[in-house]
Amino acid sequence: MKPTSLGILLATISLGLNIGIHQSLARESMHNSTRETFRENFQTSFNGSLEAEAQAEALYQQGNFPQTIELLENLANQYAAQKDALNQGRIFRNLSLVYLDNGQFNQAENSINQSLEIICQNINCEAAVSPAKVGRNAHREFIQILAQALEVKGKIEYNSGNAEDAQETWKKTVNLYDSLGDIQNSIRTKVSQVQALRSLGLYRTALENLMAMEQVLAEQPDNLIKAQALQSLGEGLRVVRKLPESTKILEQSLAIAQKKANPDIISGVLISLGNNAEFLQDDDAALKFYQQASQSSDNPSAIVESDLHQMRVLLRQENQNLSVIKFLKDHIKNNLEILPYSQQKNYARINLALQLINLKNHHIVNQEEIFITLPEIAQLLADSVKESRQLGDRRGEAYALGYLGNLYEQNEQWEDAITATREALLIAQAINADDIAYQWQWQTGRILKAQGDREKAIVSYQASVKTLQSLRGDLVAMSSDAQFSFQETVEPVYREMVSLLLPANQEAKQSDLIMAREAIEALQLAELDDFFQDACLDTKSVQIDQVDPTAAVFYPIILRDRLEVIVTIPGQPLRRHSTPIAQEEVEDTLLEMRNALTAPWRRRSVRSFLPFSEQVYDWLIRPFEADLAAHKVETLVFVLDGALRSSPIAALYDGEKYLAEKYNIGLTPGLQLLPPSPMAQQEIQALTAGLTEARQGFPALPGVGIEFDRIQQKINTKKLLNESFTEPSFRTLFQELQFPIVHFGTHGEFSSNAEDTFILTWDDRINANELDNLLRLEERQGAAVELLILSACQTAVGDKRAALGLAGVAVRAGARSTMASLWYVSDEATAELMSQFYQELVTTNPTVGRRQTKAEALSYAQRAMIQNPEFSHPYYWAAFVLVGNWL
């Protein structure tokens, strides 16, 4: 269809609407849970105006917020006139929920404050929330409303970015619900607490709370309340990425629901199990759960939800089954016709339209095989715009208009696209819906770029990035939903912005180079937030001139059609070099280079490795050789991107020498994350912990004993080996004594998932989040670990983003620097390199009258290995990298 004909059609079917991408509809599940709470409260009215409240509930379930608000305000006035404080307090609490659901945070806060003021005029609220007294309070009905009001107050605080206040408020709420014996609401609030604790970086406490919930529920009789509470617990465990435990709990919930023959709970739990399977990338299992959910219920709403999940999974598969997708599309549309007029129906329609847009954009087949048309998708979205306005649902309107803009964009109708997108953006900004706004700012930038307006496009991309940065905690919450994909919904914003700032075959202004460098650092931070599933990393702007006047910082970024490198040299303008090359070719070359280096020893040869190594050197280093020499640069610091993180930078080859022979080398996720400072000139001591024996399916590491003995010859150490190396024993010793260096000689693996990034102890594993808690600074009175060493680790095979785990550990482990291996190196080579490293670390550099920096110590150790015929192959020494503070 030609662009003009689609434009005429859309204008026609929009029914006079003033119509001038991605998966954030996942966030609406948070609003659905709010509606569940609201419905329960309506069922608990205290001799009030039941008919009017039932009408308000029905309007709310439809998503008709303006009429709901009007009716509730009238009810509040009516109860005030009757001096019915109990019901007046409850109505203000319900009114606050409606405002919150509609994005009106100020009104929500005012209403909940009115509710609490009324309640606290009738009972002693301070005494009521005390665990010791609440059970003896005679005002049970007021206590129940107080608990419900505090729960909403916590939601408002959390959504306003005050996770610490929300956590404290929900703690009081749990005390109240527990005193009332209200297990289901207590569990739901505890799950909310878990999200707040994770936002604050208190991963261990969050996990302990979830485990405590499991114990409480195990003692309860099997009933539908327990089934729903178990489902909430299962969802909470998924939030902290405890997927096996989550699945086990959800299976218990499902068994109870099936025993009690409740189809709605059965369907909901099956969908939750499907979400878990999606997280584990088991599409077959996910589809099976979603199909069972659809078949187990005769509720059109549950059927639509499960069918939409199925369609999403099928669309993600390479070999798409079009006949099944067509059946699901028709099945969803038929069930939507049955559903009553409501917000839930409207969001389902928008979700269907979005999935059909994705199918239309990404599925390349003969036209006769395509069973969807642009007019059909446009009709769905136009209907959603109309219904959103009738419901007063501004979020729904912002979504529907924005996706209409996306449809115009795909059809290259730029003026219509920009008009619809800007209107959607204005609505999103008016209701403070930043999770929607960033998408339409991004879309505006894409459209302006397509129109050739580069300067305005950059402004839109900058706005989108700024909004994303303000959304850090919210993005983490969204990422617990199976529909969210960081690689699809966040990462492209940064990469496209850099591409726009650094135009191919053109010189870039210094101001654009600075913005591009900042965007690369911001992307590093966003990736680490996504890795750890929280937004607790602190940032601070640092200038390399103030840190190390002899260091240059390299910022390579792999774009779709080229490799860009920005270099910062102290006191100099930024340098840039661009290599026109496809992303796939860059990644293939990096993979071939690493494979040649790490191949089994019979097939491992320097000759096969060097051509790839020299090619990467030509891309990254050679264009800047003259500048580095002219400014006497001694240390190269790399902020690596994508597949480069897993690459042995020290072994890049210039045709005569390896990079490690010419420069000291350090890696960092960004200067803003790790402000470097020199290693304190104190006595160097190390706590060493490791395994020599085979444990938990991992082979023995006999060389670790030799490694630790050699280290002990260089510096004072305290050793935990084999059965003495457990998490509790390490924690005790670590907190009692002040060790600048912590050295783990044990199996470990870096992954793109924090749960799968771990080191092995005698009887357990410590994952990345747990290591963060283990090495917390506050438990050592602020004494920072100068250097964390992981000498027997490797990056996960087949995981393109595995080295992100190394960066994550380096940032969060509480150490100024982390030294680790990208692949497992032989015991003998590791012991030799570590011995050399510690020798250099305690050596005074006569030129400057101080000890060697950590980067110098590693580089000198690697040079010594190169001179040793037994270990000269880069396989033995290039695996070791220093991340963080290189001084």
Side-chain angles (χ1 to χ4, degrees), residues 720-823:
L720 294 173
L721 196 62
N722 294 327
E723 63 271 11
S724 67
F725 176 31
T726 64
E727 189 269 348
S729 63
F730 176 88
R731 180 182 291 274
T732 299
L733 192 57
F734 177 74
Q735 292 176 7
E736 285 179 354
L737 302 172
Q738 303 291 313
F739 293 101
I741 299 176
V742 174
H743 186 131
F744 290 112
T746 179
H747 287 288
E749 186 165 285
F750 302 117
S751 164
S752 56
N753 186 324
E755 281 295 308
D756 297 328
T757 293
F758 67 90
I759 60 171
L760 203 69
T761 65
W762 178 255
D763 57 355
D764 202 357
R765 296 182 179 189
I766 302 174
N767 68 34
N769 281 304
E770 292 162 345
L771 187 62
D772 165 37
N773 282 276
L774 193 62
L775 302 180
R776 278 193 178 277
L777 292 181
E778 57 265 26
E779 298 179 3
R780 307 179 81 219
Q781 292 77 46
V785 175
E786 288 286 348
L787 179 61
L788 171 66
I789 298 179
L790 305 162
S791 63
C793 294
Q794 61 184 355
T795 50
V797 177
D799 186 343
K800 292 183 178 179
R801 302 175 72 233
L804 189 62
L806 172 54
V809 167
V811 169
R812 284 285 295 270
R816 296 186 189 277
S817 314
T818 298
M819 186 170 136
S821 52
L822 293 174
W823 57 84

Side-chain angles (χ1 to χ4, degrees), residues 590-627:
L590 294 173
L591 181 61
E592 292 284 354
M593 177 175 73
R594 174 157 170 161
N595 286 346
L597 197 58
T598 60
W601 70 270
R602 291 183 186 278
R603 293 189 285 109
R604 192 187 305 148
S605 74
V606 173
R607 185 177 302 173
S608 62
F609 165 74
L610 290 181
F612 299 112
S613 177
E614 192 164 357
Q615 175 64 79
V616 179
Y617 184 96
D618 290 344
W619 290 338
L620 300 185
I621 310 298
R622 203 175 299 280
F624 306 100
E625 281 182 329
D627 287 324

